[in-house]
Amino acid sequence: MRTHALTLATLLLATPLSHAMADGPAGPLETVATFEADTPPGNVAITPDGRIFLSLHQFWGAAHRVVELLADGSTVPYPSEAWASAPEGTGPGLTSVLGIVADRRGRLWMLDVGGEGHAPKLVAWDTEADRLHRVIPLPAPATVPESFVNDLAVDLTHNAVYIADPAAPDSAALIVVDLETGRARRVLAGSPFTAPEDINLKVDDRVLALGGAPARIGVNPIALSPDDATLYFGAMNGTKIYRIATRDLLDESLDDAALAARIAVHGPKPPSDGSTVDSAGNVYITSVNDDQVGVTTADGRYFTLYRQSDLSWPDGFAFGPDGQIYMTVNELHRSPVLGQGDAQGVMRLVRFPALAPGLPGR
């Protein structure tokens, strides 16, 4: 039987939220939990009642796909041993999960990359009733053979999910899922807004490679404003964060050219993996090249919040109900896929005060 976690309130003391806006942090960066190399955190999701969930990054070959972080710092497979493991035949299971989000109704959305004969899919689990909510397949043409559905944003106002699929440089795209029908659409494929720029991911003085060539990864960081009105996104190998109104993404009468005309540059960013956004329009960025957490403000300025050597590949964000932003750190550049699998022991979940309020779980 799965062990139930204590709420975040019992795990950590809440830190007062700072509403001041300045080019610097609102408070210290704190470690919430540390992990061994067999529990490499990918992204983090936090429910309204404070339960913490992590996807485990398969670049490290983790045994499970999703776990719950308990009050004592240990983890348990979630939703169950069977669901948190690779599927056998037509049974339950998840092939590989990176994107993970908890919505305001307590549902945990897990984005399964697919592979090994299994198609990509979106799985939603009701954490309050502890039962499956729904499974949404992501077939062609919403996905393509090279798809690597990476991260997502859940929009309950418009009953939609937005997915970042870096795929290949010429096919990187956004996927829009209608939660009423389960239909998924691929948009902006290969556009300048979703494709990678010709810049390197360079960590610890080493240019990261995939398939024997310098890595070029398209749209990856994706974040939805607390009011569900604006989607922010950009390429991992990219220098800009873009924004578009969700009403435009949801308008099926707009083709890619019309959508592109409605995209605006929010501001600059470094090569990055994760992002989130607060109610003031501050987009938080995990800067993978230089062990940083940065912010692109609503008026288009970028500044560094934290820079320290133990932020070794900062990855995903989630707002907690305590007004803090939680972030995973996972040494991804040292994984067997991108390096030699030589973890240095700095896999962590950290938190810091947001500059302005955000929506818990996002």
Side-chain angles (χ1 to χ4, degrees), residues 46-49 101-107 109 128 154-158 226-228 359-362:
I46 305 177
T47 60
D49 60 357
V101 170
D103 69 27
R104 62 177 179 266
R105 296 174 186 163
R107 294 179 300 216
W109 296 82
E128 295 177 359
V154 179
D155 177 356
L156 293 186
T157 300
H158 303 105
D227 62 2
D228 293 340
L359 188 65
R362 209 164 265 181

Side-chain angles (χ1 to χ4, degrees), residues 31-50:
T31 296
V32 177
T34 59
F35 306 100
E36 299 297 326
D38 62 354
T39 311
N43 287 305
V44 56
I46 305 177
T47 60
D49 60 357

Side-chain angles (χ1 to χ4, degrees), residues 65 78 81 103 106 111 116 119 142 189 195 241 257 282 306 325 333 359:
R65 281 57 176 155
Y78 194 86
E81 177 69 33
D103 69 27
L111 184 59
E116 301 175 8
I241 280 285
N282 299 308
Y306 304 95
I325 296 175
H333 58 292
L359 188 65

Side-chain angles (χ1 to χ4, degrees), residues 11 19 49 71 74 86 140 147 151 222-223 291 337 355:
L11 178 62
H19 298 278
D49 60 357
S74 65
S147 281
D151 210 348
I222 186 171
D291 307 330
V337 174
L355 300 173

Side-chain angles (χ1 to χ4, degrees), residues 224-244:
L224 186 61
S225 61
D227 62 2
D228 293 340
T230 307
L231 187 74
Y232 300 83
F233 62 97
M236 188 173 195
N237 288 72
T239 59
K240 297 181 181 67
I241 280 285
Y242 301 101
R243 66 174 185 263
I244 187 171

Side-chain angles (χ1 to χ4, degrees), residues 276 284 317-320 322-327 350-355:
T276 191
Y284 301 80
F317 292 117
F319 269 88
D322 56 357
Q324 303 273 315
I325 296 175
Y326 289 72
M327 181 182 73
V350 300
R351 68 172 187 167
F352 58 90
L355 300 173

Side-chain angles (χ1 to χ4, degrees), residues 33-35 38-39 54 56 64 67-70 72-77:
T34 59
F35 306 100
D38 62 354
T39 311
L54 301 161
L56 299 188
H64 296 115
V67 297
E68 181 171 3
L69 178 64
L70 304 183
D72 63 1
S74 65
T75 60
V76 292

